[in-house]
C-alpha cells in the first residue's frame, strides 16, 4: 500500500449561491485544488454528495462535473453515505491511489441545497435516518438529535447552558474563515435566547445548511518532487465504520460506537493516540454531536464532553482545538460537502495557513465526518511531513 | 497492488418484488454471496445503487443494509454513476482489497423500482442525462437513445429488422436463467410487431426495469486456500472512463469513446485483446447500445455491430457470445444493480455453472456497464484460475 499525500486544496464560500449551478460550484473547487497542486491533469475524480438526485434532479455527478473541469474521459463516480459522503469520497480516492491503480486523484464534496424548497430539504435530510423504522414515525432528523441531547442531559446532569461553549467557539473561529457561512461571534446570552427548533436543540445548537464545494488533490508520497509550493501533508490514518441506522437499535444511544471504532483504527494505523492530535475537525452538526464525538474518540471520558468545552480546552490554544475554521455550526453544513471542508481545513492548519485561528506548530490533525445520527462515521488523520 | 479474486456470488430473481423491501432484497443477495464464499464475516460492503434516495426515500444504503446482514460496524458506502453504479461498486471493492486496506469485501448492486409510480421512475431515470442541457428540453432517456439509433440507421444503412437478432438472442438465453425477469423466447415477427416506445425503439429494443440485487465476495488471491468449493475467478482488468454527459456534446454521437478507453485499458492490464474474450456481458439497455458496445470494445468495425448479430456470432456458440443469461433485455435492468448481475453472470460462466447457455470451456469473460447514454462506462475482465 503506497503512502498518499494531499498536495492541493480548493473550496468555495458556503452560502446561498443562487447564481451558480451545482456544476459550477463543484467545478470551481476542483479547479482551485488542481491549480493549488500545480497540476494540469488528474486521473480520477471521486465526488461526495448526498442529495443531487432529488434536490437537483441530477444523478451521476461524476461525468457531470468531470467534463466541465476538463476531465472528460477520466474515471469518476459519486460516493454517498448521507452527511459523511465527503469523507467517503476522500477515503475512496485514498484507496485508489494507495492501490496503485490511480496516480492522481481529486476527492470532491459538493452540495447545492438552496434551490430546493425548505420542506423538501427537510424531507431529503430525513432520508439519512431509517425510512422503515424512524421516518415513518414522523420524526425529523433534528428531532432525533434532540432526543439524544435530552437523554444525555438527563443521564449526566448537564444543563442547556453547558453546551453554549461549543457554539461560541465555533462562531468565534468562523469570524476568521473567509469561506464560512457565518462570520459573527456570539455571546452566551445570544446562544440561550435563540429560537427553539426541537427542544432542547435551538438555532445555536444546529448547523446551517447551504451550498458549497471543497476538494483536494492526492498523489503517492513517493512521486512528490522537491518543488512543492506548500508543506506536504500525508494521510497516516483512515478508517470507516457503520452502526445501526435507527438510534433506538443501539444498546447505548449516547455512545458513538462507529466513532470509537474508526478513530481507534486510525490511531493504530498512525501509531499514535488522542494526545498526539493537535486539532480535531469534528462533526458538530448539533452541539450534542460535538460532545459525543470528543468522548467516543478518546478526548474525554463518557458523559464529560461539555467539561472540556467549559474549561476552554476546545479553543485554538486549548488542549484539543475543534471547529477551528468555524465547524459545521459557523462554517456551515452543505451535507455531502462537509467532510471535504473538514479535511481541507485540517490541511490548512498543517500547512500553517489558518489565519486568525492557527493552532501553534500544528503537526497532526484529525477529521471525523458523521453520516446519519452516528450510523456512518469516517475518521482521517493527517500529518505534516 | 494485490491480485483479487471473486469467491462468492449471490443474486435474486429480477421481478416486481412487492413483498420485499429494498433492505431485504439487497440482504438476501449479500447473504447468498457470503454463504457461497464459505465465509461468515466480511470487512466492508460497497453498495451500487442509483435511485434509492428518491424512489425509496432512503439514503446511506451502506449502513442500512450492512446492519441487516449482520455487518453492523463494517465499512460501507454507496456508489452511484446512474446505470453503471453496480460496476462502480465492484471497482471500488476491488481497489479497496487491492490496496491492502480491506481483506474481504462485498460488492453489491441493488435497485427497487416497482414501489414508485411509473411517471416518477421515468423522471428518475432521466436524472442520468444532463439536467441542464438535455432534460430541460423535455427529452426522456429512451428518446435520447432513439435519436442515436435513428442516426445510426441513417449513417450505416441498417434497417429496423437488422436489430432483431440482439433481442432474439437475449430472450433465447434468458429462458435458461432462473433469475431472469423474462424467460420466454421471441420470434422476429414478435420483435417487429412490438409496440413503439420512442421511434425506432420499440418494446423489444428496450430493457425492462424491475427490482433486483446481485453481489460478489472478493478476497486477495494470495489468501485463498486450496479448499475453495468452486473454481476461483480472478480479476485481470478493470477500468472506468467518462464521456460528456450530453450526447450532443460529443464529436461522434455514434461512438462510445468511454467504452473504447475503458476496454482498451482493461485489455492492456490483462495483456490480452478482444480475440481472447470468451464471452462479453455488455449493456444492452437498448439494442442500439449492444451494437455500439461491440464496436467500441473492438469486436466489430465501426457501423458493423448488427452484422455480427445477423451472422449468429453473438449466441453462446458464436465468436463473441453476449447477453448469455438474458442480458438487460431479458434478464432485466434494475438500473443500479445491473452491473453486478453482469459480473455475477461472468463468474457463473467461468465456473461453468451457466446451465443451458454455457459457453464451452469459457476461461476469460468481460463485463461492461454503461451509465447514462455512454457517459460513464466501466469494463472488467475476469479469468478462471
Amino acid at each position: 500500500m503506497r503512502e498518499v499525500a494531499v498536495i492541493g486544496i480548493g473550496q468555495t464560500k458556503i452560502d446561498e449561491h443562487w447564481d451558480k449551478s451545482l456544476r459550477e460550484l463543484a467545478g470551481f473547487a476542483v479547479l482551485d485544488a488542481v491549480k493549488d497542486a500545480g497540476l494540469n491533469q488528474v486521473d480520477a475524480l471521486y465526488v461526495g454528495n448526498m442529495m443531487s438526485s432529488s434536490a437537483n434532479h441530477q444523478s451521476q455527478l461524476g461525468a457531470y462535473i468531470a467534463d466541465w473541469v476538463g476531465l472528460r474521459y477520466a474515471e469518476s463516480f459519486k460516493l454517498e453515505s448521507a452527511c459523511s459522503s465527503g469523507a467517503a469520497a476522500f477515503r475512496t480516492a485514498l484507496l485508489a491511489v494507495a492501490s496503485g491503480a490511480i496516480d492522481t486523484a481529486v476527492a470532491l464534496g459538493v452540495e447545492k441545497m438552496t434551490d430546493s424548497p425548505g420542506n423538501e430539504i427537510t424531507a431529503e435530510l430525513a432520508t439519512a435516518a431509517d425510512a422503515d423504522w424512524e421516518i415513518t414515525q414522523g420524526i425529523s432528523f433534528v428531532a432525533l438529535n434532540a432526543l439524544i441531547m435530552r437523554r444525555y442531559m438527563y443521564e449526566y446532569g448537564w444543563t442547556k447552558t453547558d453546551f453554549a461553549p461549543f457554539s461560541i467557539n465555533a462562531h468565534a473561529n468562523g469570524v476568521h474563515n473567509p469561506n464560512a457561512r457565518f462570520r459573527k461571534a456570539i455571546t452566551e446570552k445570544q446562544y440561550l435566547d435563540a429560537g427553539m427548533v426541537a427542544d432542547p436543540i435551538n438555532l445555536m445548537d444546529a448547523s446551517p445548511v447551504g451550498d458549497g464545494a471543497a476538494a483536494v488533490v492526492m498523489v503517492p508520497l513517493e512521486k512528490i518532487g522537491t518543488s512543492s509550493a506548500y508543506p506536504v501533508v500525508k494521510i497516516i490514518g483512515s478508517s470507516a465504520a457503520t452502526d445501526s441506522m435507527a438510534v433506538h437499535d443501539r444498546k447505548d444511544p449516547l455512545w458513538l460506537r462507529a466513532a470509537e471504532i474508526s478513530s481507534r483504527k486510525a490511531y493504530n494505523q498512525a501509531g499514535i493516540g488522542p494526545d498526539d492530535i493537535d486539532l480535531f475537525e469534528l462533526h458538530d452538526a448539533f452541539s450534542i454531536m460535538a460532545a459525543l464525538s470528543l468522548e467516543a474518540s478518546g478526548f474525554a471520558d463518557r458523559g464529560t464532553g461539555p467539561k472540556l468545552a467549559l474549561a476552554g480546552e476546545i479553543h485554538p490554544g486549548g488542549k484539543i482545538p475543534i471547529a477551528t475554521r468555524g465547524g459545521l455550526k459557523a462554517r456551515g453544513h452543505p451535507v455531502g460537502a462537509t467532510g471535504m471542508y473538514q479535511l481541507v481545513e485540517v490541511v490548512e492548519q498543517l500547512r500553517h495557513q489558518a489565519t486568525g485561528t492557527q493552532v501553534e506548530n500544528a503537526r497532526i490533525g484529525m477529521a471525523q465526518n458523521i453520516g446519519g445520527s452516528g450510523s456512518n462515521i469516517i475518521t482521517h488523520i493527517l500529518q505534516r511531513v
Side-chain angles (χ1 to χ4, degrees), chain A residues 256-332:
Chain A
L256 296 177
R257 183 97 169 91
E260 182 192 5
I261 294 171
S262 67
S263 63
R264 194 194 291 154
K265 283 192 185 168
Y267 290 140
N268 287 344
Q269 288 163 13
I272 61 170
D275 286 348
D276 301 304
I277 303 293
D278 295 318
L279 69 134
F280 180 24
E281 290 304 332
L282 50 65
H283 193 93
D284 56 329
F286 303 101
S287 44
I288 178 65
M289 280 293 140
L292 297 183
S293 297
L294 283 168
E295 296 170 18
S297 307
F299 297 100
D301 291 334
R302 183 182 292 255
T304 69
K307 207 170 139 185
L308 263 181
L310 288 162
E313 296 293 5
I314 61 170
H315 302 315
K319 198 179 149 207
I320 182 64
I322 65 172
T324 69
R325 306 303 282 160
L328 280 65
K329 180 65 196 79
R331 173 238 295 132

Side-chain angles (χ1 to χ4, degrees), chain A residues 117-145:
Chain A
N119 59 336
E120 277 187 22
I121 291 292
T122 299
E124 281 154 3
L125 288 171
T127 66
D130 193 310
D132 300 339
W133 300 106
E134 290 182 321
I135 299 310
T136 45
Q137 311 305 318
I139 199 163
S140 72
F141 199 68
V142 188
L144 270 170
N145 283 273

Side-chain angles (χ1 to χ4, degrees), chain A residues 17-18 20-26 47-61 64-65 78 110-117 120-121 124 210-212 334-337:
Chain A
H17 286 288
W18 296 102
K20 285 187 196 71
S21 70
L22 187 156
R23 179 142 41 187
E24 292 167 313
L25 203 62
V47 184
N49 168 271
M50 177 178 175
M51 53 177 67
S52 75
S53 300
S54 46
N56 314 101
H57 305 284
Q58 183 65 67
S59 293
Q60 55 158 344
L61 292 190
Y64 178 77
I65 296 163
K78 164 172 159 171
V110 61
E111 204 77 66
K112 184 83 168 78
M113 306 175 77
T114 53
D115 301 338
S116 292
E120 277 187 22
I121 291 292
E124 281 154 3
D211 306 331
V335 291

Side-chain angles (χ1 to χ4, degrees), chain A residues 226-250:
Chain A
T226 47
S227 61
S228 186
Y230 304 106
V232 170
V233 171
K234 68 174 178 174
I235 302 151
I236 58 172
S238 171
S239 179
T242 54
D243 199 341
S244 79
M245 187 166 252
V247 175
H248 63 249
D249 272 344
R250 296 178 201 158

